Amino acid sequence: MTSSPALDHGMGDDTTIAASERILRVAGAQLGPIARDEPRATVVERLIGLLEAAHSQGAELVVFPELALTTFFPRWYFDSWDDIDPFFETEMPSPITAPLFERARALGVGFSLGYAELTADGHHFNTTILVERDGSVVGRYRKVHVPGHEAHEPWRPFQHLERRYFEPGDRFDAWQAFGGVVGVATCNDRRWPETYRVFGLQGCELLLIGYNTPIHYAPDPGQNRLAGFHNALVMQSGAYQNGMWVVGVAKGGVEEGVDSLAESCIIGPSGEVVARTDTTGDEVIVADCDLARCANYKTTLFDFDRYRRPEVYTRITAQRGVIAPEGS
Ligand code: ING
């Protein structure tokens, strides 16, 4: 009997998938609360302290949370941009943030940092900058999925006015950096499978996600007890389904009276959590992320080119909301 190529498994033992290691030691630098009146300079000192702790543990990349320079101001309603704009950065680095950039470059450590960005032409974004170990800027990411509401809703115990204060970004771009393919997403983006898939389709091996997640969810408080479960659920599935490392980093704890989820974690391409914070304050976690392990998933059951059926998925980009089948 002649052998058929279609019946040939074409795969040896697993050592043929990831023959050589490509290890990047990554740190998640979780933040505890930032008070409304805490000066930027003090926050930058905290960030530098976390960066130095991460470096002393051998980390080459430090992931900071979303909006890591100020309190999470979308919890308050403001009518005037004069009250809102002071929470935004008009340059990055700025005189106040420069010491973080300088310290990172001196130590040869890269980082991602979330902040509120006000552009020269007056646009407001929820932005994260990614900086390489040599201090060069890899790229800027602007949050795509902007959650919450636009108008003051006094029935809530606190507001979530991101949709009032931020315009959405319009790109998920991965970059060649840190010896692999790296992407950045922000907080609510992590709940959407499209986020991971669009990065996965660029071969992304490491996705960095900062978040501020109030545990009380006013539209449906029955979800409150599930905040930690949902956080792990979405990031672990995104990692596994796309064969990528995911680093989720919180600003956690009780900030201006609002309790926010901590539970920062580093997740491997297997979907397993390999490191997790155990406090709700400033805390560093570290993991050796072997970017070569992504191939174990990307070239086997999640070999996109072989197994995906994009022609069957046209609704994903053709429609936004639900269109139910006709009939009763
Ligand atoms: N926070 C939220 C998140 O997805 C959200 C979204 C909105 C939570 C309203 C609770 C209430 O975790 C951010 N920062 O996107």
Side-chain angles (χ1 to χ4, degrees), residues 205-220:
E205 297 170 317
L206 177 62
L207 186 61
L208 315 176
I209 305 176
Y211 57 89
N212 284 263
T213 295
I215 291 171
H216 178 70
Y217 185 62
D220 182 17

Side-chain angles (χ1 to χ4, degrees), residues 66-67 72 74 126 143 145-149 156 158-162 166 186-192 210-219 231 261:
E66 172 192 36
L67 300 174
F72 190 73
N126 187 336
K143 188 176 186 178
H145 299 95
V146 179
H149 48 107
R156 293 173 182 259
F158 53 88
Q159 304 295 297
H160 199 103
L161 285 161
E162 285 196 65
F166 296 118
T186 303
C187 195
N188 190 259
D189 290 325
R190 78 194 187 287
R191 304 188 191 276
W192 301 92
Y211 57 89
N212 284 263
T213 295
I215 291 171
H216 178 70
Y217 185 62
N231 179 57
L261 186 72

Side-chain angles (χ1 to χ4, degrees), residues 30-182:
Q30 176 176 285
L31 283 172
I34 299 176
R36 182 171 176 180
D37 63 1
E38 184 168 343
R40 295 269 211 299
T42 313
V43 177
V44 169
E45 282 172 24
R46 282 168 66 185
L47 300 177
I48 291 173
L50 291 164
L51 182 101
E52 289 173 341
H55 173 259
S56 72
Q57 295 175 62
E60 290 185 83
L61 168 59
V62 180
V63 181
F64 291 113
E66 172 192 36
L67 300 174
L69 294 170
T70 65
T71 199
F72 190 73
F73 59 89
R75 76 169 62 90
W76 294 299
Y77 173 75
F78 300 107
D79 203 29
S80 163
W81 286 107
D82 292 341
D83 295 322
I84 302 156
D85 283 347
F87 293 105
F88 282 73
E89 313 301 317
T90 53
E91 47 180 343
M92 188 59 66
S94 58
I96 282 178
T97 52
L100 171 67
F101 286 71
E102 285 160 14
R103 190 75 186 118
R105 192 164 71 101
L107 295 174
V109 177
F111 65 92
S112 64
L113 177 73
Y115 63 99
E117 176 193 12
L118 173 55
T119 67
D121 53 352
H123 294 282
H124 298 76
F125 296 104
N126 187 336
T127 297
T128 293
I129 189 171
L130 180 63
V131 178
E132 255 288 8
R133 293 158 288 195
D134 65 359
S136 61
V137 175
V138 176
R140 281 180 183 76
Y141 169 74
R142 291 164 171 170
K143 188 176 186 178
V144 165
H145 299 95
V146 179
H149 48 107
E150 292 84 1
H152 190 210
E153 297 187 0
W155 61 270
R156 293 173 182 259
F158 53 88
Q159 304 295 297
H160 199 103
L161 285 161
E162 285 196 65
R163 294 181 72 83
R164 182 178 187 84
Y165 304 143
F166 296 118
E167 294 172 51
D170 58 5
R171 311 190 62 81
F172 283 135
D173 286 329
W175 303 294
Q176 293 284 352
F178 298 93
V181 182
V182 182

Side-chain angles (χ1 to χ4, degrees), residues 232-251:
L233 177 71
V234 292
M235 294 196 292
Q236 290 185 258
S237 6
Y240 166 64
Q241 291 170 339
N242 295 279
M244 60 173 70
W245 292 85
V246 172
V247 183
V249 179
K251 174 139 64 62

